[in-house]
Amino acid sequence: TFGASARRRTASESAAPDATTDGGAGTTSGTVGVAGAIASVGVLQAATAILAPVDGAPVTAGGDVLVSAATRGGSTASADGSTVADGAAGIGVAIAVNRTDVQTIAAVSGADITATSLAVRATAAPTVAGTANEFAATAVSGASDGNGGVSASVAVAGAVALTIATVSTIATLDGDVTLTQPVGGVVDVEVAATSAKTASTSATPAAPVAGATAGIGASSATTVLDDATLAAIADDATIAGLGSLAVAA
């Protein structure tokens, strides 16, 4: 975040062009108050679990085989443009941007597996059965109230909040997969993708400006959510030794 506040110039200070105002700017009716806040969050989160034996080496397990990838957690950007207490004019702008890309991939490709069961699971959620990951942006604008009286001539406030979230949760089984039950029989297979998420934005003004004769305020809140949740057996996949099959997204 950043902020700047102005002060009134006293009569004893020089008005020469090279004089400083300690970061302040004067007008005939007072000072100008400026406050701003910018919050920007960029997150790339990825979890990948792939079972693809090299050179066709067999996979032998005494029990179940689980290939699982999970991502957990959200992200939030919050900007608060504080009010400015001193000044004839006040400007408070807040901008919050949250850009998040989450990829969760679990896959089995071309494997010779000896196991009692096979599960391929991709999960994007705080817990398997819990609440959703949250992606949010919040912006609160503020404006000066001048000196608290009618001499406050202009008050300007603006808030912009933007959330862009791309969430891909994919579980697949492809290639030639041979399943063998250690004690004979068939192997049960599950391919599942689960994604729980929310995306939100909020852009609001701060408390009304007291004593201002003119006010300009604009708030904009935008949410863009690109969500893909896929559980699939590829078109070219072949499965030998299959018992029950569950595919769910």
PDB file of all heavy atoms in Angstrom, residues 85-133:
ATOM      1  N   ALA A  85      -7.844  13.329   6.786  1.00  0.00           N
ATOM      2  CA  ALA A  85      -8.578  14.205   7.685  1.00  0.00           C
ATOM      3  C   ALA A  85      -8.377  15.677   7.392  1.00  0.00           C
ATOM      4  O   ALA A  85      -9.180  16.502   7.779  1.00  0.00           O
ATOM      5  CB  ALA A  85      -8.159  13.915   9.132  1.00  0.00           C
ATOM      6  N   ASP A  86      -7.288  16.067   6.719  1.00  0.00           N
ATOM      7  CA  ASP A  86      -7.003  17.485   6.534  1.00  0.00           C
ATOM      8  C   ASP A  86      -6.890  17.804   5.057  1.00  0.00           C
ATOM      9  O   ASP A  86      -6.194  17.134   4.320  1.00  0.00           O
ATOM     10  CB  ASP A  86      -5.694  17.848   7.245  1.00  0.00           C
ATOM     11  CG  ASP A  86      -5.389  19.329   7.122  1.00  0.00           C
ATOM     12  OD1 ASP A  86      -6.341  20.106   6.941  1.00  0.00           O
ATOM     13  OD2 ASP A  86      -4.208  19.681   7.197  1.00  0.00           O
ATOM     14  N   GLY A  87      -7.579  18.816   4.601  1.00  0.00           N
ATOM     15  CA  GLY A  87      -7.427  19.210   3.221  1.00  0.00           C
ATOM     16  C   GLY A  87      -8.725  19.757   2.672  1.00  0.00           C
ATOM     17  O   GLY A  87      -9.811  19.385   3.086  1.00  0.00           O
ATOM     18  N   ALA A  88      -8.605  20.676   1.711  1.00  0.00           N
ATOM     19  CA  ALA A  88      -9.800  21.212   1.091  1.00  0.00           C
ATOM     20  C   ALA A  88     -10.396  20.240   0.098  1.00  0.00           C
ATOM     21  O   ALA A  88     -11.568  20.267  -0.185  1.00  0.00           O
ATOM     22  CB  ALA A  88      -9.468  22.522   0.386  1.00  0.00           C
ATOM     23  N   ALA A  89      -9.559  19.376  -0.476  1.00  0.00           N
ATOM     24  CA  ALA A  89     -10.052  18.367  -1.399  1.00  0.00           C
ATOM     25  C   ALA A  89      -9.483  17.024  -0.978  1.00  0.00           C
ATOM     26  O   ALA A  89      -8.371  16.945  -0.487  1.00  0.00           O
ATOM     27  CB  ALA A  89      -9.625  18.695  -2.827  1.00  0.00           C
ATOM     28  N   GLY A  90     -10.249  15.981  -1.157  1.00  0.00           N
ATOM     29  CA  GLY A  90      -9.775  14.661  -0.751  1.00  0.00           C
ATOM     30  C   GLY A  90      -9.940  13.655  -1.859  1.00  0.00           C
ATOM     31  O   GLY A  90     -10.933  13.663  -2.572  1.00  0.00           O
ATOM     32  N   ILE A  91      -8.935  12.788  -2.024  1.00  0.00           N
ATOM     33  CA  ILE A  91      -8.978  11.730  -3.023  1.00  0.00           C
ATOM     34  C   ILE A  91      -8.569  10.434  -2.351  1.00  0.00           C
ATOM     35  O   ILE A  91      -7.498  10.358  -1.750  1.00  0.00           O
ATOM     36  CB  ILE A  91      -8.046  12.017  -4.218  1.00  0.00           C
ATOM     37  CG1 ILE A  91      -8.419  13.343  -4.886  1.00  0.00           C
ATOM     38  CG2 ILE A  91      -8.103  10.874  -5.222  1.00  0.00           C
ATOM     39  CD1 ILE A  91      -7.468  13.753  -5.982  1.00  0.00           C
ATOM     40  N   GLY A  92      -9.419   9.426  -2.415  1.00  0.00           N
ATOM     41  CA  GLY A  92      -9.065   8.128  -1.865  1.00  0.00           C
ATOM     42  C   GLY A  92      -9.421   7.043  -2.858  1.00  0.00           C
ATOM     43  O   GLY A  92     -10.574   6.886  -3.213  1.00  0.00           O
ATOM     44  N   VAL A  93      -8.432   6.314  -3.336  1.00  0.00           N
ATOM     45  CA  VAL A  93      -8.637   5.287  -4.343  1.00  0.00           C
ATOM     46  C   VAL A  93      -8.094   3.969  -3.833  1.00  0.00           C
ATOM     47  O   VAL A  93      -6.995   3.925  -3.266  1.00  0.00           O
ATOM     48  CB  VAL A  93      -7.949   5.664  -5.674  1.00  0.00           C
ATOM     49  CG1 VAL A  93      -8.109   4.540  -6.693  1.00  0.00           C
ATOM     50  CG2 VAL A  93      -8.524   6.960  -6.229  1.00  0.00           C
ATOM     51  N   ALA A  94      -8.838   2.891  -4.016  1.00  0.00           N
ATOM     52  CA  ALA A  94      -8.398   1.561  -3.605  1.00  0.00           C
ATOM     53  C   ALA A  94      -8.544   0.598  -4.777  1.00  0.00           C
ATOM     54  O   ALA A  94      -9.578   0.573  -5.444  1.00  0.00           O
ATOM     55  CB  ALA A  94      -9.214   1.061  -2.417  1.00  0.00           C
ATOM     56  N   ILE A  95      -7.485  -0.183  -5.029  1.00  0.00           N
ATOM     57  CA  ILE A  95      -7.477  -1.160  -6.119  1.00  0.00           C
ATOM     58  C   ILE A  95      -6.979  -2.489  -5.567  1.00  0.00           C
ATOM     59  O   ILE A  95      -5.892  -2.563  -4.983  1.00  0.00           O
ATOM     60  CB  ILE A  95      -6.578  -0.711  -7.286  1.00  0.00           C
ATOM     61  CG1 ILE A  95      -7.052   0.636  -7.844  1.00  0.00           C
ATOM     62  CG2 ILE A  95      -6.562  -1.769  -8.381  1.00  0.00           C
ATOM     63  CD1 ILE A  95      -6.118   1.222  -8.888  1.00  0.00           C
ATOM     64  N   ALA A  96      -7.766  -3.538  -5.755  1.00  0.00           N
ATOM     65  CA  ALA A  96      -7.379  -4.883  -5.307  1.00  0.00           C
ATOM     66  C   ALA A  96      -7.511  -5.851  -6.474  1.00  0.00           C
ATOM     67  O   ALA A  96      -8.574  -5.925  -7.104  1.00  0.00           O
ATOM     68  CB  ALA A  96      -8.251  -5.334  -4.137  1.00  0.00           C
ATOM     69  N   VAL A  97      -6.434  -6.579  -6.763  1.00  0.00           N
ATOM     70  CA  VAL A  97      -6.423  -7.526  -7.872  1.00  0.00           C
ATOM     71  C   VAL A  97      -5.920  -8.874  -7.362  1.00  0.00           C
ATOM     72  O   VAL A  97      -4.852  -8.956  -6.749  1.00  0.00           O
ATOM     73  CB  VAL A  97      -5.522  -7.045  -9.028  1.00  0.00           C
ATOM     74  CG1 VAL A  97      -5.509  -8.076 -10.159  1.00  0.00           C
ATOM     75  CG2 VAL A  97      -5.995  -5.696  -9.547  1.00  0.00           C
ATOM     76  N   ASN A  98      -6.687  -9.932  -7.627  1.00  0.00           N
ATOM     77  CA  ASN A  98      -6.315 -11.286  -7.222  1.00  0.00           C
ATOM     78  C   ASN A  98      -6.329 -12.178  -8.462  1.00  0.00           C
ATOM     79  O   ASN A  98      -7.379 -12.410  -9.061  1.00  0.00           O
ATOM     80  CB  ASN A  98      -7.291 -11.819  -6.173  1.00  0.00           C
ATOM     81  CG  ASN A  98      -6.892 -13.195  -5.652  1.00  0.00           C
ATOM     82  OD1 ASN A  98      -5.892 -13.771  -6.062  1.00  0.00           O
ATOM     83  ND2 ASN A  98      -7.681 -13.729  -4.742  1.00  0.00           N
ATOM     84  N   ARG A  99      -5.142 -12.661  -8.857  1.00  0.00           N
ATOM     85  CA  ARG A  99      -5.020 -13.539 -10.038  1.00  0.00           C
ATOM     86  C   ARG A  99      -4.463 -14.875  -9.568  1.00  0.00           C
ATOM     87  O   ARG A  99      -3.334 -14.957  -9.088  1.00  0.00           O
ATOM     88  CB  ARG A  99      -4.089 -12.902 -11.070  1.00  0.00           C
ATOM     89  CG  ARG A  99      -3.891 -13.756 -12.322  1.00  0.00           C
ATOM     90  CD  ARG A  99      -5.166 -13.844 -13.134  1.00  0.00           C
ATOM     91  NE  ARG A  99      -4.977 -14.563 -14.384  1.00  0.00           N
ATOM     92  CZ  ARG A  99      -5.167 -15.865 -14.540  1.00  0.00           C
ATOM     93  NH1 ARG A  99      -5.540 -16.604 -13.500  1.00  0.00           N
ATOM     94  NH2 ARG A  99      -4.993 -16.437 -15.704  1.00  0.00           N
ATOM     95  N   THR A 100      -5.259 -15.942  -9.705  1.00  0.00           N
ATOM     96  CA  THR A 100      -4.877 -17.253  -9.183  1.00  0.00           C
ATOM     97  C   THR A 100      -5.069 -18.326 -10.246  1.00  0.00           C
ATOM     98  O   THR A 100      -6.102 -18.354 -10.926  1.00  0.00           O
ATOM     99  CB  THR A 100      -5.709 -17.608  -7.941  1.00  0.00           C
ATOM    100  OG1 THR A 100      -5.549 -16.579  -6.955  1.00  0.00           O
ATOM    101  CG2 THR A 100      -5.250 -18.926  -7.345  1.00  0.00           C
ATOM    102  N   ASP A 101      -4.072 -19.199 -10.367  1.00  0.00           N
ATOM    103  CA  ASP A 101      -4.138 -20.321 -11.298  1.00  0.00           C
ATOM    104  C   ASP A 101      -3.833 -21.594 -10.508  1.00  0.00           C
ATOM    105  O   ASP A 101      -2.748 -21.739  -9.946  1.00  0.00           O
ATOM    106  CB  ASP A 101      -3.114 -20.129 -12.419  1.00  0.00           C
ATOM    107  CG  ASP A 101      -3.276 -21.145 -13.544  1.00  0.00           C
ATOM    108  OD1 ASP A 101      -4.041 -22.108 -13.365  1.00  0.00           O
ATOM    109  OD2 ASP A 101      -2.631 -20.982 -14.593  1.00  0.00           O
ATOM    110  N   VAL A 102      -4.808 -22.508 -10.436  1.00  0.00           N
ATOM    111  CA  VAL A 102      -4.661 -23.746  -9.655  1.00  0.00           C
ATOM    112  C   VAL A 102      -4.819 -24.940 -10.587  1.00  0.00           C
ATOM    113  O   VAL A 102      -5.840 -25.061 -11.280  1.00  0.00           O
ATOM    114  CB  VAL A 102      -5.700 -23.818  -8.522  1.00  0.00           C
ATOM    115  CG1 VAL A 102      -5.510 -25.097  -7.704  1.00  0.00           C
ATOM    116  CG2 VAL A 102      -5.601 -22.593  -7.617  1.00  0.00           C
ATOM    117  N   GLN A 103      -3.825 -25.834 -10.584  1.00  0.00           N
ATOM    118  CA  GLN A 103      -3.858 -27.028 -11.416  1.00  0.00           C
ATOM    119  C   GLN A 103      -3.653 -28.254 -10.536  1.00  0.00           C
ATOM    120  O   GLN A 103      -2.657 -28.340  -9.817  1.00  0.00           O
ATOM    121  CB  GLN A 103      -2.779 -26.978 -12.491  1.00  0.00           C
ATOM    122  CG  GLN A 103      -2.895 -25.788 -13.433  1.00  0.00           C
ATOM    123  CD  GLN A 103      -1.732 -25.712 -14.413  1.00  0.00           C
ATOM    124  OE1 GLN A 103      -0.846 -26.554 -14.412  1.00  0.00           O
ATOM    125  NE2 GLN A 103      -1.748 -24.694 -15.250  1.00  0.00           N
ATOM    126  N   THR A 104      -4.592 -29.199 -10.614  1.00  0.00           N
ATOM    127  CA  THR A 104      -4.512 -30.440  -9.837  1.00  0.00           C
ATOM    128  C   THR A 104      -4.734 -31.596 -10.797  1.00  0.00           C
ATOM    129  O   THR A 104      -5.819 -31.729 -11.375  1.00  0.00           O
ATOM    130  CB  THR A 104      -5.570 -30.455  -8.725  1.00  0.00           C
ATOM    131  OG1 THR A 104      -5.534 -29.213  -8.003  1.00  0.00           O
ATOM    132  CG2 THR A 104      -5.312 -31.601  -7.755  1.00  0.00           C
ATOM    133  N   ILE A 105      -3.715 -32.446 -10.960  1.00  0.00           N
ATOM    134  CA  ILE A 105      -3.765 -33.501 -11.970  1.00  0.00           C
ATOM    135  C   ILE A 105      -3.322 -34.829 -11.359  1.00  0.00           C
ATOM    136  O   ILE A 105      -2.245 -34.917 -10.748  1.00  0.00           O
ATOM    137  CB  ILE A 105      -2.872 -33.171 -13.175  1.00  0.00           C
ATOM    138  CG1 ILE A 105      -3.322 -31.861 -13.826  1.00  0.00           C
ATOM    139  CG2 ILE A 105      -2.887 -34.312 -14.192  1.00  0.00           C
ATOM    140  CD1 ILE A 105      -2.393 -31.381 -14.925  1.00  0.00           C
ATOM    141  N   ALA A 106      -4.159 -35.853 -11.526  1.00  0.00           N
ATOM    142  CA  ALA A 106      -3.806 -37.220 -11.134  1.00  0.00           C
ATOM    143  C   ALA A 106      -4.060 -38.118 -12.339  1.00  0.00           C
ATOM    144  O   ALA A 106      -5.121 -38.023 -12.973  1.00  0.00           O
ATOM    145  CB  ALA A 106      -4.629 -37.677  -9.937  1.00  0.00           C
ATOM    146  N   ALA A 107      -3.094 -39.003 -12.651  1.00  0.00           N
ATOM    147  CA  ALA A 107      -3.244 -39.803 -13.862  1.00  0.00           C
ATOM    148  C   ALA A 107      -2.493 -41.124 -13.748  1.00  0.00           C
ATOM    149  O   ALA A 107      -1.470 -41.223 -13.068  1.00  0.00           O
ATOM    150  CB  ALA A 107      -2.730 -39.022 -15.072  1.00  0.00           C
ATOM    151  N   VAL A 108      -3.041 -42.121 -14.437  1.00  0.00           N
ATOM    152  CA  VAL A 108      -2.359 -43.398 -14.641  1.00  0.00           C
ATOM    153  C   VAL A 108      -2.292 -43.619 -16.141  1.00  0.00           C
ATOM    154  O   VAL A 108      -3.312 -43.502 -16.840  1.00  0.00           O
ATOM    155  CB  VAL A 108      -3.093 -44.562 -13.960  1.00  0.00           C
ATOM    156  CG1 VAL A 108      -2.493 -45.903 -14.388  1.00  0.00           C
ATOM    157  CG2 VAL A 108      -3.035 -44.417 -12.450  1.00  0.00           C
ATOM    158  N   SER A 109      -1.096 -43.916 -16.624  1.00  0.00           N
ATOM    159  CA  SER A 109      -0.918 -44.060 -18.066  1.00  0.00           C
ATOM    160  C   SER A 109      -0.105 -45.311 -18.378  1.00  0.00           C
ATOM    161  O   SER A 109       1.032 -45.455 -17.916  1.00  0.00           O
ATOM    162  CB  SER A 109      -0.204 -42.823 -18.626  1.00  0.00           C
ATOM    163  OG  SER A 109      -0.002 -42.943 -20.016  1.00  0.00           O
ATOM    164  N   GLY A 110      -0.693 -46.197 -19.147  1.00  0.00           N
ATOM    165  CA  GLY A 110       0.015 -47.347 -19.679  1.00  0.00           C
ATOM    166  C   GLY A 110       0.738 -48.172 -18.638  1.00  0.00           C
ATOM    167  O   GLY A 110       1.964 -48.310 -18.690  1.00  0.00           O
ATOM    168  N   ALA A 111       0.018 -48.759 -17.679  1.00  0.00           N
ATOM    169  CA  ALA A 111       0.673 -49.477 -16.582  1.00  0.00           C
ATOM    170  C   ALA A 111       0.163 -50.903 -16.477  1.00  0.00           C
ATOM    171  O   ALA A 111      -0.999 -51.188 -16.768  1.00  0.00           O
ATOM    172  CB  ALA A 111       0.454 -48.733 -15.267  1.00  0.00           C
ATOM    173  N   ASP A 112       1.060 -51.796 -16.041  1.00  0.00           N
ATOM    174  CA  ASP A 112       0.719 -53.181 -15.710  1.00  0.00           C
ATOM    175  C   ASP A 112       0.710 -53.265 -14.187  1.00  0.00           C
ATOM    176  O   ASP A 112       1.760 -53.262 -13.546  1.00  0.00           O
ATOM    177  CB  ASP A 112       1.749 -54.129 -16.316  1.00  0.00           C
ATOM    178  CG  ASP A 112       1.398 -55.601 -16.083  1.00  0.00           C
ATOM    179  OD1 ASP A 112       0.442 -55.868 -15.332  1.00  0.00           O
ATOM    180  OD2 ASP A 112       2.091 -56.472 -16.644  1.00  0.00           O
ATOM    181  N   ILE A 113      -0.503 -53.306 -13.605  1.00  0.00           N
ATOM    182  CA  ILE A 113      -0.641 -53.137 -12.158  1.00  0.00           C
ATOM    183  C   ILE A 113      -1.227 -54.394 -11.527  1.00  0.00           C
ATOM    184  O   ILE A 113      -2.258 -54.914 -11.985  1.00  0.00           O
ATOM    185  CB  ILE A 113      -1.550 -51.931 -11.833  1.00  0.00           C
ATOM    186  CG1 ILE A 113      -0.967 -50.649 -12.435  1.00  0.00           C
ATOM    187  CG2 ILE A 113      -1.739 -51.777 -10.328  1.00  0.00           C
ATOM    188  CD1 ILE A 113      -1.878 -49.450 -12.311  1.00  0.00           C
ATOM    189  N   THR A 114      -0.545 -54.872 -10.497  1.00  0.00           N
ATOM    190  CA  THR A 114      -1.082 -55.956  -9.675  1.00  0.00           C
ATOM    191  C   THR A 114      -1.495 -55.357  -8.336  1.00  0.00           C
ATOM    192  O   THR A 114      -0.655 -54.846  -7.586  1.00  0.00           O
ATOM    193  CB  THR A 114      -0.027 -57.062  -9.454  1.00  0.00           C
ATOM    194  OG1 THR A 114       0.338 -57.623 -10.723  1.00  0.00           O
ATOM    195  CG2 THR A 114      -0.580 -58.165  -8.567  1.00  0.00           C
ATOM    196  N   ALA A 115      -2.790 -55.354  -8.061  1.00  0.00           N
ATOM    197  CA  ALA A 115      -3.309 -54.718  -6.848  1.00  0.00           C
ATOM    198  C   ALA A 115      -4.723 -55.202  -6.597  1.00  0.00           C
ATOM    199  O   ALA A 115      -5.369 -55.776  -7.485  1.00  0.00           O
ATOM    200  CB  ALA A 115      -3.283 -53.204  -6.974  1.00  0.00           C
ATOM    201  N   THR A 116      -5.198 -54.970  -5.377  1.00  0.00           N
ATOM    202  CA  THR A 116      -6.587 -55.338  -5.054  1.00  0.00           C
ATOM    203  C   THR A 116      -7.572 -54.312  -5.587  1.00  0.00           C
ATOM    204  O   THR A 116      -8.729 -54.636  -5.868  1.00  0.00           O
ATOM    205  CB  THR A 116      -6.754 -55.488  -3.534  1.00  0.00           C
ATOM    206  OG1 THR A 116      -6.329 -54.279  -2.895  1.00  0.00           O
ATOM    207  CG2 THR A 116      -5.903 -56.645  -3.005  1.00  0.00           C
ATOM    208  N   SER A 117      -7.135 -53.038  -5.699  1.00  0.00           N
ATOM    209  CA  SER A 117      -7.986 -51.996  -6.284  1.00  0.00           C
ATOM    210  C   SER A 117      -7.090 -50.860  -6.753  1.00  0.00           C
ATOM    211  O   SER A 117      -5.944 -50.724  -6.315  1.00  0.00           O
ATOM    212  CB  SER A 117      -9.014 -51.474  -5.276  1.00  0.00           C
ATOM    213  OG  SER A 117      -8.379 -50.728  -4.254  1.00  0.00           O
ATOM    214  N   LEU A 118      -7.650 -50.009  -7.634  1.00  0.00           N
ATOM    215  CA  LEU A 118      -6.919 -48.857  -8.164  1.00  0.00           C
ATOM    216  C   LEU A 118      -7.820 -47.628  -8.070  1.00  0.00           C
ATOM    217  O   LEU A 118      -8.962 -47.648  -8.540  1.00  0.00           O
ATOM    218  CB  LEU A 118      -6.513 -49.088  -9.613  1.00  0.00           C
ATOM    219  CG  LEU A 118      -5.929 -47.880 -10.365  1.00  0.00           C
ATOM    220  CD1 LEU A 118      -4.611 -47.431  -9.735  1.00  0.00           C
ATOM    221  CD2 LEU A 118      -5.749 -48.195 -11.854  1.00  0.00           C
ATOM    222  N   ALA A 119      -7.297 -46.554  -7.468  1.00  0.00           N
ATOM    223  CA  ALA A 119      -8.037 -45.298  -7.372  1.00  0.00           C
ATOM    224  C   ALA A 119      -7.163 -44.159  -7.887  1.00  0.00           C
ATOM    225  O   ALA A 119      -5.981 -44.049  -7.511  1.00  0.00           O
ATOM    226  CB  ALA A 119      -8.456 -45.025  -5.934  1.00  0.00           C
ATOM    227  N   VAL A 120      -7.730 -43.338  -8.755  1.00  0.00           N
ATOM    228  CA  VAL A 120      -7.055 -42.153  -9.293  1.00  0.00           C
ATOM    229  C   VAL A 120      -7.905 -40.952  -8.893  1.00  0.00           C
ATOM    230  O   VAL A 120      -9.046 -40.804  -9.356  1.00  0.00           O
ATOM    231  CB  VAL A 120      -6.911 -42.231 -10.827  1.00  0.00           C
ATOM    232  CG1 VAL A 120      -6.126 -41.033 -11.344  1.00  0.00           C
ATOM    233  CG2 VAL A 120      -6.237 -43.538 -11.240  1.00  0.00           C
ATOM    234  N   ARG A 121      -7.359 -40.090  -8.031  1.00  0.00           N
ATOM    235  CA  ARG A 121      -8.158 -38.997  -7.470  1.00  0.00           C
ATOM    236  C   ARG A 121      -7.428 -37.656  -7.565  1.00  0.00           C
ATOM    237  O   ARG A 121      -6.261 -37.555  -7.181  1.00  0.00           O
ATOM    238  CB  ARG A 121      -8.484 -39.268  -5.998  1.00  0.00           C
ATOM    239  CG  ARG A 121      -9.333 -40.510  -5.768  1.00  0.00           C
ATOM    240  CD  ARG A 121      -9.445 -40.832  -4.304  1.00  0.00           C
ATOM    241  NE  ARG A 121     -10.178 -42.082  -4.066  1.00  0.00           N
ATOM    242  CZ  ARG A 121     -10.126 -42.770  -2.935  1.00  0.00           C
ATOM    243  NH1 ARG A 121      -9.397 -42.318  -1.922  1.00  0.00           N
ATOM    244  NH2 ARG A 121     -10.805 -43.898  -2.813  1.00  0.00           N
ATOM    245  N   ALA A 122      -8.147 -36.657  -8.045  1.00  0.00           N
ATOM    246  CA  ALA A 122      -7.671 -35.271  -8.052  1.00  0.00           C
ATOM    247  C   ALA A 122      -8.636 -34.450  -7.214  1.00  0.00           C
ATOM    248  O   ALA A 122      -9.844 -34.451  -7.481  1.00  0.00           O
ATOM    249  CB  ALA A 122      -7.592 -34.725  -9.469  1.00  0.00           C
ATOM    250  N   THR A 123      -8.107 -33.744  -6.217  1.00  0.00           N
ATOM    251  CA  THR A 123      -8.958 -33.023  -5.269  1.00  0.00           C
ATOM    252  C   THR A 123      -8.449 -31.597  -5.086  1.00  0.00           C
ATOM    253  O   THR A 123      -7.273 -31.389  -4.764  1.00  0.00           O
ATOM    254  CB  THR A 123      -8.983 -33.735  -3.903  1.00  0.00           C
ATOM    255  OG1 THR A 123      -9.409 -35.075  -4.069  1.00  0.00           O
ATOM    256  CG2 THR A 123      -9.922 -33.017  -2.942  1.00  0.00           C
ATOM    257  N   ALA A 124      -9.334 -30.627  -5.273  1.00  0.00           N
ATOM    258  CA  ALA A 124      -9.024 -29.229  -4.996  1.00  0.00           C
ATOM    259  C   ALA A 124     -10.026 -28.719  -3.979  1.00  0.00           C
ATOM    260  O   ALA A 124     -11.124 -28.300  -4.336  1.00  0.00           O
ATOM    261  CB  ALA A 124      -9.073 -28.394  -6.269  1.00  0.00           C
ATOM    262  N   ALA A 125      -9.679 -28.810  -2.714  1.00  0.00           N
ATOM    263  CA  ALA A 125     -10.566 -28.384  -1.627  1.00  0.00           C
ATOM    264  C   ALA A 125      -9.772 -28.407  -0.332  1.00  0.00           C
ATOM    265  O   ALA A 125      -8.766 -29.118  -0.224  1.00  0.00           O
ATOM    266  CB  ALA A 125     -11.778 -29.292  -1.511  1.00  0.00           C
ATOM    267  N   PRO A 126     -10.186 -27.610   0.670  1.00  0.00           N
ATOM    268  CA  PRO A 126      -9.470 -27.620   1.950  1.00  0.00           C
ATOM    269  C   PRO A 126      -9.381 -29.017   2.558  1.00  0.00           C
ATOM    270  O   PRO A 126      -8.352 -29.406   3.081  1.00  0.00           O
ATOM    271  CB  PRO A 126     -10.302 -26.677   2.816  1.00  0.00           C
ATOM    272  CG  PRO A 126     -10.960 -25.765   1.846  1.00  0.00           C
ATOM    273  CD  PRO A 126     -11.264 -26.617   0.654  1.00  0.00           C
ATOM    274  N   THR A 127     -10.464 -29.760   2.510  1.00  0.00           N
ATOM    275  CA  THR A 127     -10.472 -31.160   2.919  1.00  0.00           C
ATOM    276  C   THR A 127     -11.317 -31.912   1.916  1.00  0.00           C
ATOM    277  O   THR A 127     -12.074 -31.305   1.146  1.00  0.00           O
ATOM    278  CB  THR A 127     -11.061 -31.353   4.335  1.00  0.00           C
ATOM    279  OG1 THR A 127     -12.414 -30.885   4.330  1.00  0.00           O
ATOM    280  CG2 THR A 127     -10.257 -30.596   5.376  1.00  0.00           C
ATOM    281  N   VAL A 128     -11.212 -33.215   1.912  1.00  0.00           N
ATOM    282  CA  VAL A 128     -11.950 -33.990   0.915  1.00  0.00           C
ATOM    283  C   VAL A 128     -13.443 -33.712   0.995  1.00  0.00           C
ATOM    284  O   VAL A 128     -14.140 -33.625  -0.011  1.00  0.00           O
ATOM    285  CB  VAL A 128     -11.662 -35.494   1.109  1.00  0.00           C
ATOM    286  CG1 VAL A 128     -12.557 -36.326   0.191  1.00  0.00           C
ATOM    287  CG2 VAL A 128     -10.200 -35.787   0.821  1.00  0.00           C
ATOM    288  N   ALA A 129     -13.964 -33.536   2.213  1.00  0.00           N
ATOM    289  CA  ALA A 129     -15.402 -33.284   2.378  1.00  0.00           C
ATOM    290  C   ALA A 129     -15.645 -31.947   3.081  1.00  0.00           C
ATOM    291  O   ALA A 129     -16.673 -31.755   3.717  1.00  0.00           O
ATOM    292  CB  ALA A 129     -16.044 -34.419   3.174  1.00  0.00           C
ATOM    293  N   GLY A 130     -14.696 -31.011   2.967  1.00  0.00           N
ATOM    294  CA  GLY A 130     -14.808 -29.762   3.712  1.00  0.00           C
ATOM    295  C   GLY A 130     -15.394 -28.630   2.899  1.00  0.00           C
ATOM    296  O   GLY A 130     -16.055 -28.839   1.883  1.00  0.00           O
ATOM    297  N   THR A 131     -15.140 -27.421   3.354  1.00  0.00           N
ATOM    298  CA  THR A 131     -15.654 -26.240   2.673  1.00  0.00           C
ATOM    299  C   THR A 131     -14.780 -25.895   1.473  1.00  0.00           C
ATOM    300  O   THR A 131     -13.810 -26.570   1.177  1.00  0.00           O
ATOM    301  CB  THR A 131     -15.678 -25.049   3.647  1.00  0.00           C
ATOM    302  OG1 THR A 131     -14.357 -24.844   4.167  1.00  0.00           O
ATOM    303  CG2 THR A 131     -16.636 -25.317   4.793  1.00  0.00           C
ATOM    304  N   ALA A 132     -15.152 -24.833   0.760  1.00  0.00           N
ATOM    305  CA  ALA A 132     -14.496 -24.503  -0.497  1.00  0.00           C
ATOM    306  C   ALA A 132     -13.262 -23.628  -0.284  1.00  0.00           C
ATOM    307  O   ALA A 132     -13.161 -22.878   0.684  1.00  0.00           O
ATOM    308  CB  ALA A 132     -15.484 -23.782  -1.405  1.00  0.00           C
ATOM    309  N   ASN A 133     -12.315 -23.750  -1.217  1.00  0.00           N
ATOM    310  CA  ASN A 133     -11.237 -22.775  -1.301  1.00  0.00           C
ATOM    311  C   ASN A 133     -11.824 -21.447  -1.768  1.00  0.00           C
ATOM    312  O   ASN A 133     -12.699 -21.420  -2.635  1.00  0.00           O
ATOM    313  CB  ASN A 133     -10.171 -23.239  -2.304  1.00  0.00           C
ATOM    314  CG  ASN A 133      -9.467 -24.505  -1.856  1.00  0.00           C
ATOM    315  OD1 ASN A 133      -9.291 -24.736  -0.670  1.00  0.00           O
ATOM    316  ND2 ASN A 133      -9.060 -25.322  -2.807  1.00  0.00           N
TER     317      ASN A 133
END
